[in-house]
C-alpha cells in the first residue's frame, strides 16, 4: 500500500503539466533582467567621463603627432603644398609666424634645395585641459635632411608642443626644443 498513489476523487479534472510554461516564464524573466543589466552597463560606459577624457587624449596625440611630423617635413620641389600643410596644422602665434614668414622661408628653402623628412619616434601627452582646450605634449622625432649634393644627415630631437582645440580639431599653437636634462 505504500507504493500506491493517492487517487483523485471522481469529478475533479486532471491538471495539465505546466512545466513548459513555467520554464518559458523563467527564461523570459531572466532575459528581461539581462537586457536591463546590459542596457545600464552600455549607458554607463557611453557616458563615462574617463572614456571621454581618454578620447580627447587620443585626439590630442593623433593631431600633435601628425602636426609635428608635418612641421618637420618639407620638400623644396613642392613648397606650396608643404607650407599649406604647415598652415593647416597650426593655430595662434605659430600659425601667424608661418604665414608672415612664408615668402622669405620659401626663398631660403628653394635656394638650399633641401628635402626634410620627419619620423616620430615617441609621443606623450603631458597635460590636457579639456575645459580651456589646451594641451601640452612631448615628442621624440628623427629628422633627416637631404641636401642637393651629399649624404642625408639624420638627427634626433626632443620637442615640446602645445596644442589648442579649434573648430577644426586640435592644432599646434607652439613648438620648440625640450629643455636639456638637468636644466
Amino acid at each position: 500500500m505504500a507504493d500506491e498513489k493517492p487517487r483523485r476523487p471522481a469529478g475533479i479534472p486532471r491538471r495539465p503539466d505546466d512545466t513548459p510554461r513555467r520554464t518559458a516564464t523563467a527564461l523570459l524573466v531572466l532575459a528581461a533582467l539581462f537586457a536591463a543589466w546590459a542596457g545600464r552597463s552600455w549607458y554607463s560606459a557611453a557616458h563615462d567621463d574617463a572614456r571621454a577624457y581618454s578620447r580627447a587624449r587620443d585626439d590630442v596625440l593623433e593631431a600633435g603627432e601628425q602636426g609635428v611630423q608635418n612641421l618637420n617635413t618639407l620638400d623644396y620641389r613642392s613648397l606650396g603644398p608643404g607650407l599649406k600643410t604647415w598652415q593647416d596644422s597650426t593655430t595662434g602665434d605659430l600659425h601667424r609666424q608661418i604665414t608672415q614668414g612664408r615668402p622669405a622661408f620659401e626663398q631660403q628653402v628653394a635656394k638650399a634645395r633641401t628635402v626634410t623628412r620627419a619620423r616620430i619616434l615617441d609621443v606623450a601627452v603631458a597635460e590636457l585641459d579639456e575645459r580651456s582646450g589646451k594641451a601640452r605634449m612631448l615628442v621624440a622625432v628623427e629628422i633627416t635632411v637631404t641636401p642637393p649634393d651629399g649624404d642625408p644627415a639624420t638627427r634626433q630631437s626632443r620637442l615640446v608642443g602645445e596644442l589648442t582645440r579649434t573648430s577644426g580639431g586640435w592644432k599646434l599653437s607652439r613648438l620648440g626644443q625640450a629643455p636639456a636634462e638637468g636644466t
Side-chain angles (χ1 to χ4, degrees), residues 96-142:
R96 278 188 288 284
Q97 289 172 6
I98 291 170
T99 303
Q100 290 172 355
R102 183 174 173 162
F105 187 70
E106 282 180 348
Q107 288 177 349
Q108 284 179 318
V109 174
K111 184 178 178 181
R113 296 182 1 185
T114 56
V115 176
T116 308
R117 302 253 182 260
R119 183 172 67 96
I120 304 299
L121 302 174
D122 202 6
V123 62
V125 174
E127 296 174 24
L128 173 57
D129 184 349
E130 286 185 280
R131 287 186 189 169
S132 68
K134 301 284 184 187
R136 194 166 68 93
M137 63 187 306
L138 306 170
V139 184
V141 62
E142 180 179 85

Side-chain angles (χ1 to χ4, degrees), residues 54-87:
S54 178
R55 265 196 315 267
R57 186 193 67 236
D58 290 346
D59 291 345
V60 166
L61 273 174
E62 183 180 335
E65 182 175 350
Q66 187 63 58
V68 169
Q69 184 169 348
N70 290 347
L71 291 181
N72 286 284
T73 300
L74 190 61
D75 188 332
Y76 76 96
R77 296 167 293 209
S78 58
L79 278 176
L83 291 174
K84 171 85 170 89
T85 300
W86 284 23
Q87 289 174 317

